[in-house]
């Protein structure tokens, strides 16, 4: 038997506005990287709780996970404290010679499946981030299409918009709902 708290809410986008239960809301966020001065990357529940309480005091309500899957307890804390999460599917920057090679697609889909299966019941997760800091490639579109098939309830975010992306595509491919530029030039 597995017992787990779940939450029900609706995330949508209407006329370019992000809505929670049909009401607009604002995100004030940070990118999360787990590191502790004494324990390195071996954080405890108390460490996460202290960080989240400090973030609340700083008026932060949104956290972008990055590069690696966080511990499920972190998400439980975010649920209980009312944070919103952009849950990044755990793959990082890859050069074009990798992202243009569809031989890597099964590996990315496996990571996508693991991420969605692990965190799909977390009400704090409001969007899936497809990759990290990459130039656009069709492999990301395929991952986003798979993500959409697995979860119709959350938007998909493309997490970078270098200038050549904007020149080449003019608009975001429809499978992505949110353009998430990490670095503005």
């Amino acid at each position: 038997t597995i017992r787990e708290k779940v939450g029900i809410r609706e995330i949508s986008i209407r006329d370019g506005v992000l809505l929670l239960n049909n009401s607009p809301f604002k995100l004030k966020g940070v990118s999360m990287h787990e590191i502790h001065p004494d324990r390195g990357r071996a954080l405890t529940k108390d460490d996460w709780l202290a960080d989240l309480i400090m973030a609340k005091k700083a008026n932060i309500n949104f956290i972008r996970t990055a590069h690696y899957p966080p511990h499920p307890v972190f998400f439980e804390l975010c649920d209980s404290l009312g944070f919103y999460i952009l849950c990044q599917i755990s793959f990082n920057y890859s050069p074009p010679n990798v992202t243009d090679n569809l031989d890597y697609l099964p590996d990315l889909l496996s990571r996508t499946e693991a991420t969605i299966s692990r965190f799909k019941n977390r009400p704090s997760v409001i969007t899936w981030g497809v990759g990290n800091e990459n130039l656009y490639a069709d492999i990301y579109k395929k991952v986003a299409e798979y993500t959409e098939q697995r979860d119709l309830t959350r938007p998909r975010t493309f997490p970078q918009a270098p200038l050549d992306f904007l020149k080449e595509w003019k608009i975001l491919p429809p499978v992505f709902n949110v353009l998430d530029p990490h670095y503005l030039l």
Side-chain angles (χ1 to χ4, degrees):
T1 301
I2 297 173
R3 293 183 183 192
E4 184 174 66
K5 291 181 181 178
V6 297
I8 298 173
R9 49 90 193 107
E10 180 185 24
I11 300 294
S12 58
I13 299 172
R14 187 178 335 126
D15 298 325
V17 177
L18 188 63
L19 304 171
L20 172 68
N21 298 331
N22 287 315
S23 295
F25 65 111
K26 291 189 179 194
L27 300 174
K28 298 172 187 151
V30 294
S31 183
M32 183 191 92
H33 288 284
E34 293 188 336
I35 192 142
H36 188 277
D38 298 322
R39 288 180 286 288
R41 299 208 181 271
L43 274 68
T44 66
K45 181 178 180 178
D46 288 340
D47 295 329
W48 294 317
L49 183 58
D51 285 348
L52 291 171
I53 289 171
M54 188 171 21
K56 274 285 188 191
K57 289 179 180 177
N59 204 28
I60 292 167
N61 68 355
F62 179 66
I63 298 168
R64 172 188 161 263
T65 66
H67 312 312
Y68 44 84
H71 195 283
V73 170
F74 178 79
F75 285 82
E76 291 171 14
L77 291 169
C78 287
D79 291 345
S80 69
L81 293 170
F83 282 91
Y84 305 113
I85 296 177
L86 181 159
C87 185
Q88 181 181 298
I89 297 166
S90 60
F91 50 92
N92 199 1
Y93 172 79
S94 298
N97 65 324
V98 172
T99 57
D100 291 339
N101 183 345
L102 291 180
D103 291 343
Y104 291 103
L105 184 60
D107 295 322
L108 296 182
L109 295 181
S110 175
R111 290 177 180 201
T112 303
E113 179 62 33
T115 302
I116 292 173
S117 293
R118 187 180 304 117
F119 300 122
K120 66 185 176 190
N121 292 328
R122 303 273 48 109
S124 56
V125 176
I126 61 168
T127 184
W128 303 112
V130 179
N132 179 61
E133 301 175 2
N134 286 302
L135 301 174
Y136 181 78
D138 283 337
I139 199 167
Y140 298 118
K141 181 180 175 189
K142 293 180 183 313
V143 170
E145 289 168 346
Y146 180 78
T147 303
E148 181 180 35
Q149 291 170 7
R150 287 289 288 118
D151 184 358
L152 293 170
T153 69
R154 293 176 177 93
R156 285 136 332 269
T157 301
F158 185 72
Q160 185 163 350
L163 294 179
D164 58 343
F165 174 90
L166 295 175
K167 287 178 196 170
E168 181 179 344
W169 290 96
K170 305 288 187 235
I171 59 168
L172 194 62
V175 72
F176 292 106
N177 309 96
V178 179
L179 185 60
D180 176 20
H182 287 194
Y183 308 106
L184 299 175
L185 301 175

